[in-house]
Amino acid sequence: MEVRDLKLRGVRSVDAGELRRSLATQPSACRSLLLRPFCLLTKSRYVFERRELERAELERDVLRTLVFYFKRGYRDAEVDTSITAVGDNAVRVMLTVREGPPTLLTASIVDDSARVVPSLDSARELRPRTGELLNLLAIDSTVIRLRERLWERGFADADIRATTTVDSAANTGTLRIDVDPRRTITIGHIAVEGEERISESTIRRSLFVAPGDVFRLSSIGRSQRALYESSLFRSARIDTLPRPNGHADTVMALVVHVKEAPQREARTSVGFTTADFVQAEGRFTHNYLFNGPRRFDLSLTVGNLLAQQLTKSAFFVDFTNIARDDDNLGRYYAPTYQASADLRQRWFGSARNTLGAGMFTHRRSSPGVFVDRGYGASASFTRELAARTPLSAIYRFEISRVEAGDVYFCVNFGVCDGLTISALRGGQRLSPLATTLLYDRTNAPFSPTRGLRASAEAEHASSFTASNFRYNRAVAEIAGFYPLKFRGTIGAARLRAGWVGPLSSTADAVGILTNGNDLTSSQILHPRKRFYAGGSQSVRGFGENQLGPRVLTIDPDVLRGRTVTDGAVSYACAPSVPITQCSVNAPHLRDRDFQVRPLGGTTLLEGSVELRIPVWGALVGAVFVDGAILGEASLGSITTGSAAVTPGFGVRYESPVGPIRVDLGLRPTLRRAIPVISQVTDSTGQRTLVRLGAATECEAGASGCRTFPDPEERKSTFRRIVNRLTLHLSIGQAF
């Protein structure tokens, strides 16, 4: 008989989904969520799995249910089963549970006469606590955690025993944990097995343990991880050897088992994102260069492929809209690339140290905004302070060249004359000295379900580092992941903050004369060092870099309201009137006549909260709320800058290469007065950009400032909702 349905009745105090998964009796079902449309049409064995009733297993399921409840503190539970016919040779199975009263813990004692477990640790790790259910699973977990604590102190032979005493009449119980640390264990001889081409000395240099050290579980784990992450080995395992005198011997011998991997590898990949169009990548790696623990990486990534064909399609960024007044729009159609050659010396003087050097070249594009080209070299030194906690010092020397229209330099650098813009377009040195610290205690690299991850970075660039662009910059980020009780849901949260301060000597170094410009030399920053918000890994209600300080640009003929009727030219704002006196809020102007230009900011405060809910197999749904404040000028502006909060939802498919993510964010209607930039042409035909509004803040109704979006524009309700939705396609979680 086929099991059409499985019902659980009376399950209130435990997770019904977890109980259902623990049973052998399961109903027939579609093999995958992706196959469900086909299952509606056919029950073929290729798409639909039929499950039959096995009465012997159903009897065992009763026992499994009782054990399930017993371990969780319900010792008097009872289970009845019923089988109901629902069709030809098909049944519905029902398990009815009477949970009974819970058994509660009334007292707990940890007998640590040797005082090797600090009282704070034992109190924190002890579960269950007084008044909670007498949960045997929690007791087992407590014993394991205490044993790991003792192993970290060198007590590898520690004996921990948990004893429970139950009063069945009163439904209460007590817990006693006896701790016997025995002796401190040290490490003796370390043997190596399985090496062929890799030298034994290379393997020993990777270890975080040596003969005579105290036996600590974390040091063994770090040594094993260092071997595996070196890519020199397919597998690496560190075992203990039997001691001749058993527990009487306080010296533990180790053996390192390795299975070598190919020393050379190559790979290619192709993908796409909504902002970078089609991308292709190739990489070659030599993991044992010159017969030593030196890794050589050669990589090339080419992006922006098919940009001209895809930029006007529904799913990709349309930068022809963003940069339609650019003199050289073709620069944004050209492919982008990043190429690098890197050499890393592993275990430099210690298993904790890594020394690196490399060369690179790139052509990056912020679609419709600017193209950043550069080449140079870098050097780095990394020391692992603790497990998955590296501290790095990095020096990067780069010759950088920014290609963009005049509007970009006028907006982002505050200089609008041609000679100064030409100086900025030339090659400039961007050479920061940076320090980075990473901290990772998550349980998975791609989609963590538990743990904490944090990073901090500080940069300095000045004449001391041979840099023309000079600044101080700091960024910090923290993200946490926590499993919730609802259907395996994961709660995730992130907070990111940053600040950058330009140095006053930058103007002279890059060849900008600030006299006559509406800025001071301390306002000049390389655009790559500014902060931007909005995008698939930021505030998802906005497109890439579209949240933050902005200006509007407009064609002068559109601003003046130039029209041609039967060969006669007329203007709403006559050419004899200076363009700075033409109203940017004239009735003939609409939002579509203006281009929104992001300025970037010098301060950033950004946060996200996300719930990741398993749907079916590898398919995961998500709901999220993102928010950011992007400020300009001083650190205090981080609380008064451009701000937005955007909710949204999406789906992820957990593929072998990482989560394939689709997110849809809802953008709020942010209406504010924004300064406007246009251009004038002198008698020689030379064009000059002019600001119509204030250089910084605008007030509603101020001359040269436009309230954007225009509240007078009327659209249908459907169109207003669609215009506020932003779609993101990418690989990898948002954080």
Side-chain angles (χ1 to χ4, degrees):
M1 290 183 293
E2 179 188 352
V3 180
R4 291 280 178 84
D5 193 13
L6 173 65
K7 294 289 187 180
L8 300 179
R9 176 182 292 176
V11 178
R12 298 181 180 86
S13 303
V14 300
D15 188 329
E18 187 180 359
L19 173 58
R20 182 186 297 270
R21 291 189 294 270
S22 71
L23 303 178
T25 302
Q26 296 291 335
S28 299
C30 197
R31 292 183 180 273
S32 167
L33 178 65
L34 299 178
L35 297 176
R36 279 192 173 183
F38 300 98
C39 292
L40 296 176
L41 303 175
T42 178
K43 294 298 187 288
S44 167
R45 61 188 177 90
Y46 298 106
V47 298
F48 190 82
E49 183 180 1
R50 296 180 183 273
R51 295 168 179 148
E52 297 180 351
L53 176 64
E54 297 184 20
R55 295 185 180 273
E57 286 297 339
L58 182 58
E59 292 177 3
R60 296 188 185 100
D61 280 339
V62 172
L63 180 60
R64 292 185 183 103
T65 303
L66 294 175
V67 172
F68 187 92
Y69 269 93
F70 185 90
K71 289 182 176 181
R72 287 158 179 79
Y74 291 86
R75 295 170 173 248
D76 297 326
E78 298 177 356
V79 181
D80 290 332
T81 63
S82 64
I83 301 174
T84 306
V86 293
D88 185 18
N89 204 35
V91 297
R92 175 189 295 116
V93 177
M94 179 177 293
L95 271 67
T96 303
V97 180
R98 290 182 293 277
E99 296 179 336
T103 301
L104 302 178
L105 184 68
T106 58
S108 59
I109 301 173
V110 177
D111 185 359
D112 178 24
S113 56
R115 299 189 182 279
V116 294
V117 182
S119 58
L120 178 62
D121 285 354
S122 60
R124 184 189 309 165
E125 302 296 336
L126 184 59
R127 292 290 190 280
R129 294 178 176 174
T130 302
E132 296 179 346
L133 293 172
L134 187 59
N135 190 315
L136 301 185
L137 300 177
I139 294 174
D140 288 343
S141 298
T142 295
V143 171
I144 291 172
R145 287 193 292 266
L146 290 177
R147 181 175 289 117
E148 290 176 350
R149 296 272 182 175
L150 292 174
W151 282 1
E152 273 303 292
R153 293 169 172 83
F155 300 103
D157 292 334
D159 183 26
I160 303 177
R161 298 182 181 181
T163 306
T164 58
T165 303
V166 176
D167 184 346
S168 301
N171 291 310
T172 60
T174 60
L175 170 64
R176 177 185 178 89
I177 298 179
D178 296 294
V179 179
D180 182 4
R182 297 183 177 174
R183 303 174 180 84
T184 301
I185 305 300
T186 58
I187 296 174
H189 175 67
I190 301 177
V192 178
E193 294 181 356
E195 78 281 9
E196 297 176 1
R197 293 166 295 175
I198 309 299
S199 68
E200 182 177 326
S201 62
T202 295
I203 297 173
R204 292 185 180 276
R205 287 167 60 187
S206 71
L207 303 179
F208 287 83
V209 293
D213 290 350
V214 173
F215 183 93
R216 301 185 190 278
L217 192 63
S218 61
S219 298
I220 303 298
R222 291 177 66 188
S223 300
Q224 187 166 297
R225 186 181 299 112
L227 288 170
Y228 181 76
E229 292 179 348
S230 70
S231 300
L232 292 173
F233 309 100
R234 290 189 184 277
S235 64
R237 188 179 75 254
I238 301 178
D239 291 333
T240 59
L241 293 176
R243 286 170 281 173
N245 299 323
H247 290 174
D249 195 339
T250 61
V251 178
M252 183 89 73
L254 303 179
V255 57
V256 182
H257 303 276
V258 296
K259 183 178 181 180
E260 295 182 1
Q263 295 181 2
R264 302 173 183 84
E265 59 182 353
R267 72 180 186 191
T268 59
S269 61
V270 178
F272 70 91
T273 70
T274 52
D276 299 311
F277 305 97
V278 179
Q279 294 176 291
E281 179 187 19
R283 179 182 294 272
F284 169 78
T285 300
H286 195 309
N287 286 306
Y288 200 59
L289 191 65
F290 305 134
N291 295 319
R294 303 175 191 90
R295 174 169 177 158
F296 175 72
D297 285 295
L298 187 64
S299 67
L300 172 64
T301 301
V302 181
N304 221 36
L305 302 176
L306 302 180
Q308 188 167 359
Q309 291 80 7
L310 297 175
T311 186
K312 291 183 177 298
S313 63
F315 296 105
F316 295 90
V317 172
D318 184 3
F319 56 71
T320 60
N321 243 354
I322 303 173
R324 63 191 181 194
D325 57 350
D326 199 314
D327 294 332
N328 187 11
L329 188 61
R331 66 164 64 94
Y332 304 116
Y333 292 132
T336 59
Y337 59 82
Q338 295 186 62
S340 63
D342 295 292
L343 179 65
R344 286 194 299 163
Q345 171 71 56
R346 303 185 189 91
W347 314 317
F348 179 71
S350 167
R352 297 172 179 267
N353 301 334
T354 301
L355 191 65
M359 298 183 296
F360 59 87
T361 181
H362 64 255
R363 183 184 189 275
R364 302 177 182 134
S365 174
S366 179
V369 182
F370 68 89
V371 174
D372 180 15
R373 305 182 66 171
Y375 62 89
S378 64
S380 65
F381 175 78
T382 301
R383 181 170 179 82
E384 189 174 2
L385 303 181
R388 293 190 291 171
T389 310
L391 175 65
S392 300
I394 305 168
Y395 176 69
R396 180 184 175 97
F397 180 85
E398 177 183 346
I399 302 296
S400 175
R401 182 188 181 108
V402 177
E403 299 175 1
D406 292 354
V407 170
Y408 172 81
F409 293 97
C410 185
V411 168
N412 288 275
F413 290 90
V415 291
C416 303
D417 61 280
L419 291 177
T420 306
I421 290 175
S422 297
L424 285 173
R425 283 197 177 109
Q428 303 285 354
R429 295 192 302 273
L430 180 62
S431 308
L433 179 63
T435 300
T436 63
L437 176 64
L438 303 178
Y439 175 88
D440 189 354
R441 291 297 181 270
T442 57
N443 61 346
F446 292 134
S447 298
T449 60
R450 183 187 299 273
L452 188 69
R453 183 171 58 216
S455 64
E457 180 179 1
E459 285 186 43
H460 171 76
S462 64
S463 58
F464 172 75
T465 63
S467 182
N468 289 340
F469 286 97
R470 300 170 180 179
Y471 60 89
N472 292 311
R473 190 174 191 267
V475 186
E477 180 176 339
I478 184 170
F481 309 89
Y482 188 77
L484 305 178
K485 294 183 179 180
F486 175 71
R487 293 190 56 195
T489 299
I490 304 301
R494 174 189 60 174
L495 182 65
R496 181 170 179 253
W499 166 84
V500 59
L503 301 182
S504 59
S505 58
T506 302
D508 292 337
V510 300
I512 295 178
L513 299 176
T514 58
N515 294 334
N517 292 318
D518 297 331
L519 82 164
T520 65
S521 58
S522 62
Q523 290 176 313
I524 301 172
L525 271 173
H526 192 281
R528 200 191 308 158
K529 298 304 175 181
R530 286 183 172 271
F531 294 106
Y532 299 88
S536 63
Q537 294 183 305
S538 179
V539 183
R540 283 164 279 184
F542 291 83
E544 297 295 324
N545 304 332
Q546 293 303 307
L547 170 63
R550 302 167 295 169
V551 298
L552 301 175
T553 61
I554 187 172
D555 183 277
D557 285 339
V558 176
L559 178 63
R560 290 188 181 277
R562 183 178 185 271
T563 58
V564 179
T565 306
D566 297 329
V569 180
S570 61
Y571 293 89
C573 180
S576 58
V577 177
I579 197 170
T580 55
Q581 296 181 15
C582 294
S583 173
V584 298
N585 297 294
H588 69 277
L589 297 177
R590 295 292 182 265
D591 283 351
R592 59 179 177 270
D593 298 325
F594 296 83
Q595 297 301 301
V596 183
R597 304 280 183 167
L599 300 176
T602 56
T603 58
L604 173 67
L605 183 62
E606 183 178 86
S608 298
V609 177
E610 183 170 287
L611 295 179
R612 300 169 184 171
I613 308 167
V615 177
W616 183 278
L619 198 64
V620 179
V623 291
F624 56 83
V625 177
D626 301 326
I629 303 176
L630 198 62
E632 185 68 26
S634 66
L635 188 61
S637 68
I638 197 169
T639 60
T640 59
S642 302
V645 175
T646 67
F649 60 92
V651 294
R652 293 96 172 86
Y653 177 73
E654 299 286 350
S655 74
V657 297
I660 299 175
R661 179 164 55 95
V662 180
D663 282 334
L664 201 61
L666 180 62
R667 182 178 62 255
T669 301
L670 296 178
R671 185 174 293 120
R672 61 167 41 185
I674 302 178
V676 181
I677 290 179
S678 189
Q679 63 185 19
V680 296
T681 305
D682 61 21
S683 58
T684 64
Q686 181 69 34
R687 295 186 304 175
T688 303
L689 298 174
V690 294
R691 297 174 184 263
L692 306 180
T696 54
E697 293 295 328
C698 275
E699 295 180 359
S703 175
C705 295
R706 179 177 176 84
T707 300
F708 190 89
D710 186 353
E712 298 302 322
E713 289 201 0
R714 295 288 183 259
K715 298 184 177 72
S716 67
T717 301
F718 175 77
R719 175 61 64 181
R720 288 199 299 268
I721 294 175
V722 170
N723 285 348
R724 293 172 61 181
L725 295 177
T726 304
L727 176 69
H728 297 282
L729 305 175
S730 55
I731 294 180
Q733 298 286 10
F735 56 91

